[in-house]
Amino acid sequence: QVRLVESGGGLVQPGGSLRLSCAASGIIFRHVDMGWYRQAPGKQRELVASITSGGTTNYVDSVKGRFTISRTNAKNTVYLQMDSLKPEDTAVYYCNFPTARPGLSYWGQGTQVTVSS
């Protein structure tokens, strides 16, 4: 069955960097598109970055130029490199398919990112 395990979150100061990882199993990873979502307190979960099976990437405007999504198919892993972090980036970050539904799809536990002085 599908399993998604996020890691790499933590506490970082504004302007700092973090690299998140998502290990996937139960899917033919090299054939699927993947994405990173985040959910801040009091806000809805939003898709912030995606990468197709062919390597094409897309980003929400608020993270363009600061976040980079990548994947290593041999390790069934997708990454999110986050640079120039801002307090408003504070959220729980999840990986999933770009078409995932919060109320219907499988979701992992996520990883907490806190940006604070």
Side-chain angles (χ1 to χ4, degrees):
Q1 65 188 68
V2 176
R3 190 182 183 206
L4 301 167
V5 182
E6 300 93 345
S7 63
L11 175 64
V12 65
Q13 293 185 341
S17 298
L18 285 172
R19 183 174 175 84
L20 308 184
S21 298
C22 170
S25 61
I27 59 173
I28 307 174
F29 184 81
R30 68 185 185 277
H31 291 169
V32 301
D33 302 346
M34 294 296 297
W36 281 97
Y37 296 75
R38 68 184 181 188
Q39 187 164 24
K43 296 186 177 181
Q44 291 188 316
R45 194 168 299 178
E46 65 170 342
L47 178 67
V48 298
S50 64
I51 183 167
T52 69
S53 61
T56 301
T57 59
N58 285 283
Y59 304 91
V60 70
D61 286 344
S62 60
V63 308
K64 284 182 179 177
R66 301 189 298 118
F67 290 10
T68 303
I69 188 171
S70 62
R71 64 195 296 163
T72 301
N73 289 340
K75 295 182 178 181
N76 286 4
T77 302
V78 62
Y79 307 93
L80 187 67
Q81 177 67 43
M82 304 185 296
D83 299 318
S84 301
L85 283 163
K86 304 175 180 180
E88 52 262 44
D89 295 319
T90 296
V92 178
Y93 284 73
Y94 304 86
C95 63
N96 216 319
F97 312 115
T99 56
R101 300 275 298 278
L104 297 174
S105 302
Y106 165 84
W107 293 87
Q109 295 300 305
T111 186
Q112 176 72 50
V113 172
T114 303
V115 184
S116 177
S117 298

